Amino acid sequence: MDIKEYLDKHAERINEPSFIEDDPVKFPRRYNDLRDIEIVSFLVATIAWGKRAMILRDAERMLIQIGNNPYDYVMSEGYKKLGTANVHRTFFENDMAYMLRGFRSFYLLHESMDEYMSTCPERTPQKLVEALRSSAMKSNHNTHNMKCYSKDFKNTALKRVNLAMRWLVRNDGIVDLGVWKSMKPSELYIPLDIHVGKTARKLGLLTRKNNDWKAVEELTEKLRKYNPDDPVLYDFALFGISIEENK
């Protein structure tokens, strides 16, 4: 079995409906309004690091705070009631409020994140992060919160943003939502974390040692050769293989 067959086999095994219930992707799937889905996708992806059980628990508690209509909560400044309680590991309610203030500022200018991306000549995660970070800084006394947004695009893999964009853009009708119309799955980049990077190196898909943006580009380019239209499909395969190896 060659590497493409191996990846296809694992992607097919993992990318199926039963995967949803034990993965953070289940949270944005609860909503119908595009802006609700965008807000929840980015909030949940921001805390999607560490043990999955803890991520699911903390995301559930976080979303209880903002209720059934996240966009209305944001635009009515419901986040003013948030304090400084812990949300997930090093992420606290004041960090959450920082992001939500930024979302409000962003949505005052744009109908949706999807609409914004449709206006960008370069539809990259960096472009979206720049816009969201700029809105957040303007609405937070010009302060930068590194827990929410990176500003060092060379030394970060932008894993959380790429994960949220995978949920929003991939449209095979199985796990991911595919609600954005501004981008094609072929334009996505792999959500690269420690486990995916380790597995990719073992399989000879990645030579770069650091999990930075160059590594993301290298790995995504290799995966595009196997599936030009949907390279990030293999995020499921690399995730599944890494889980098996760590059992």
Side-chain angles (χ1 to χ4, degrees):
M1 183 182 299
D2 65 21
I3 188 65
K4 184 183 187 308
E5 291 175 327
Y6 183 65
L7 291 173
D8 284 337
K9 173 186 173 182
H10 282 281
E12 183 177 2
R13 178 175 63 84
I14 300 296
N15 184 32
E16 55 98 26
S18 64
F19 176 82
I20 295 169
E21 184 55 32
D22 294 319
D23 189 80
V25 73
K26 72 177 184 179
F27 296 109
R29 291 181 65 90
R30 294 176 178 177
Y31 302 87
N32 295 312
D33 184 89
L34 176 59
R35 295 161 302 186
D36 288 345
I37 294 170
E38 291 176 342
I39 290 167
V40 171
S41 292
F42 277 88
L43 279 178
V44 172
T46 297
I47 67 167
W49 54 285
K51 294 183 178 180
R52 293 179 81 208
M54 185 180 295
I55 295 169
L56 297 177
R57 180 200 69 191
D58 294 344
E60 191 75 66
R61 294 191 307 191
M62 176 174 64
L63 295 182
I64 288 173
Q65 299 257 38
I66 64 177
N68 296 325
N69 304 104
Y71 175 76
D72 291 344
Y73 176 89
V74 167
M75 302 312 288
S76 64
E77 300 180 287
Y79 48 76
K80 287 184 175 180
K81 297 180 181 179
L82 294 174
T84 58
N86 182 253
V87 175
H88 177 74
R89 303 189 75 171
T90 61
F91 191 84
F92 292 82
E93 285 187 3
N94 53 308
D95 300 311
M96 179 178 166
Y98 179 95
M99 287 190 74
L100 297 178
R101 279 191 291 269
F103 288 157
R104 185 177 187 276
S105 178
F106 180 90
Y107 285 118
L108 287 173
L109 297 175
H110 306 284
E111 180 180 343
S112 66
M113 296 183 197
D114 185 31
E115 178 271 328
Y116 169 76
M117 291 299 281
S118 72
T119 68
C120 297
E122 296 181 5
R123 294 179 294 274
T124 64
Q126 290 89 344
K127 196 69 177 176
L128 181 56
V129 171
E130 286 177 352
L132 293 176
R133 186 183 65 199
S134 175
S135 293
M137 290 182 66
K138 288 178 181 177
S139 56
N140 286 279
H141 308 292
N142 206 36
T143 59
H144 171 69
N145 187 328
M146 62 181 296
K147 297 179 188 178
C148 301
Y149 301 110
S150 174
K151 59 180 179 180
D152 182 4
F153 293 153
K154 290 183 179 180
N155 295 313
T156 179
L158 292 177
K159 180 257 184 179
R160 297 172 294 179
V161 177
N162 285 328
L163 179 61
M165 292 176 73
R166 194 204 86 191
W167 295 342
L168 294 163
V169 174
R170 284 199 71 254
N171 57 1
D172 61 6
I174 302 176
V175 171
D176 297 318
L177 288 82
V179 292
W180 273 13
K181 307 306 178 187
S182 60
M183 295 180 65
K184 299 176 181 178
S186 60
E187 297 176 278
L188 293 171
Y189 289 88
I190 193 78
L192 178 63
D193 61 14
I194 293 173
H195 304 294
V196 168
K198 182 178 179 181
T199 301
R201 291 181 183 94
K202 282 186 176 181
L203 294 174
L205 298 170
L206 180 61
T207 59
R208 189 167 177 81
K209 294 181 179 180
N210 296 330
N211 288 333
D212 55 14
W213 187 250
K214 286 187 177 180
V216 172
E217 290 181 315
E218 179 187 344
L219 179 54
T220 304
E221 188 60 32
K222 181 63 69 67
L223 298 176
R224 284 192 177 120
K225 292 179 180 178
Y226 297 140
N227 191 334
D229 294 329
D230 190 13
V232 177
L233 166 67
Y234 296 122
D235 186 35
F236 292 101
L238 295 171
F239 169 82
I241 296 167
S242 68
I243 291 294
E244 288 184 346
E245 290 178 344
N246 290 318
K247 283 184 177 179

